[in-house]
Amino acid sequence: LSGAAALGVALPSLVQAQVPAAQVRALNLARNTAVTQNGGLGVYRPQPCMFETSAGGGSCLISNNADGFTFRFLGGKPGWPENNSPATTETEILVAPDGTAVEQVIYNGAPR
């Protein structure tokens, strides 16, 4: 044995679990639906977690079950997270389990 293994040190694995394709589709659909409903990318940007495709939505994914994928996220004017401006919109969307259809826009309005 050599290196960390000889010292009994566990090294972090570089292999991450693959995010299912349906979850990536659901994330993209939820994000694009919110962008469209809130006036387009020229006036609205979703929370950065909605761009984390390799994490399947990260902290924006609040539920993944037989009903589908539920995402809840904030949004605001372009640049709002970077310049620490307050979010102006909160969106909650349920997407079908296969990621191909919005089942319900549960909420799209002022942050609750």
Side-chain angles (χ1 to χ4, degrees):
L1 293 176
S2 64
L7 299 173
V9 176
L11 297 175
S13 173
L14 298 177
V15 178
Q16 293 182 346
Q18 181 88 18
V19 175
Q23 186 171 344
V24 173
R25 280 192 305 271
L27 172 65
N28 291 334
L29 181 56
R31 182 184 64 239
N32 293 339
T33 299
V35 167
T36 299
Q37 289 197 352
N38 291 298
L41 286 173
V43 296
Y44 169 85
R45 288 293 188 327
Q47 192 171 343
C49 56
M50 288 304 288
F51 294 93
E52 295 176 359
T53 52
S54 64
S59 62
C60 291
L61 177 67
I62 61 167
S63 177
N64 173 6
N65 57 36
D67 294 333
F69 300 92
T70 303
F71 297 91
R72 183 184 306 137
F73 52 96
L74 298 173
K77 293 179 182 177
W80 71 272
E82 295 81 9
N83 63 26
N84 295 316
S85 296
T88 56
T89 308
E90 179 181 340
T91 304
E92 188 171 339
I93 297 179
L94 172 63
V95 179
D98 66 1
T100 62
V102 172
E103 296 291 333
Q104 181 182 7
V105 175
I106 298 165
Y107 183 80
N108 188 52
R112 300 177 280 189

